[in-house]
Amino acid sequence: MKKLALFFAGLSLFVATGCNNDDDNTMEYPIVGTWQPIKKVVTTVAIGEDPVSDGISFDTDCQKTSRWVFAASSGKRTDNGDGTSPGTCQPTFDRNFTYTYDKDTKAIQVKYQGIVEPDKGSVVTLNETTLNIKFEDTSDPTEYQSTTYTLKRIPQ
């Protein structure tokens, strides 16, 4: 009888601890880090016209040195292009920014130093290696425009 009681006690313990539905396999990755832009897609939809998308790859040697650095609530964006002399690079956009990011809604707002209106959008993808951010411009009621950046995390 003791063996049977021990068996049921062990079985109950196994059932109680063996299956845990509280595990959440979704991993949250931080936006904080250094990111290299890979491409940008600009989509424009005007009333009464077909949507137009234009993809731009950051594939020249100079463009590959571009960086977006996110710290806790601020950062710096530097986009580089070919310089005037062969083999040299020069910044085409070099600004500090502050940002807010809501992990639950994926909303992001980036305000660049010296620019009044913030960029408002959403984080479409954020994982260990990739960050996709879509900024939307709805200021013109006759035209919608979005710019989606694909960035690759640069290990520190």
Side-chain angles (χ1 to χ4, degrees):
M1 189 65 145
K2 277 186 179 181
K3 288 182 183 179
L4 190 58
L6 282 174
F7 173 74
F8 281 116
L11 185 61
S12 297
L13 183 61
F14 177 74
V15 169
T17 62
C19 297
N20 186 352
N21 290 336
D22 295 338
D23 289 344
D24 187 2
N25 291 331
T26 59
M27 176 86 171
E28 279 195 35
Y29 294 96
I31 196 169
V32 171
T34 301
W35 300 88
Q36 174 188 346
I38 303 298
K39 72 178 177 179
K40 169 173 100 170
V41 176
V42 179
T43 302
T44 304
V45 181
I47 292 177
E49 296 182 25
D50 290 334
V52 177
S53 287
D54 186 23
I56 301 158
S57 295
F58 291 78
D59 54 4
T60 70
D61 288 340
C62 288
Q63 290 171 329
K64 289 178 182 177
T65 64
S66 300
R67 296 291 184 266
W68 293 30
V69 180
F70 286 88
S73 62
S74 63
K76 182 172 178 119
R77 175 180 166 188
T78 305
D79 294 345
N80 293 317
D82 293 329
T84 54
S85 302
T88 63
C89 302
Q90 70 181 32
T92 58
F93 188 90
D94 189 21
R95 295 262 166 88
N96 293 321
F97 61 84
T98 58
Y99 73 96
T100 57
Y101 172 55
D102 185 330
K103 292 179 191 175
D104 295 328
T105 65
K106 306 293 185 206
I108 189 166
Q109 184 170 319
V110 177
K111 183 162 183 168
Y112 291 101
Q113 178 182 13
I115 298 177
V116 176
E117 284 297 313
D119 286 343
K120 297 176 183 175
S122 60
V123 172
V124 179
T125 305
L126 176 57
N127 60 38
E128 185 176 7
T129 59
T130 304
L131 171 61
N132 286 329
I133 302 177
K134 179 169 80 170
F135 295 109
E136 298 176 301
D137 181 359
T138 57
S139 60
D140 182 351
T142 64
E143 181 178 273
Y144 165 84
Q145 186 173 40
S146 71
T147 305
T148 303
Y149 293 91
T150 299
L151 302 113
K152 175 178 78 169
R153 188 183 298 273
I154 303 296
Q156 297 297 329

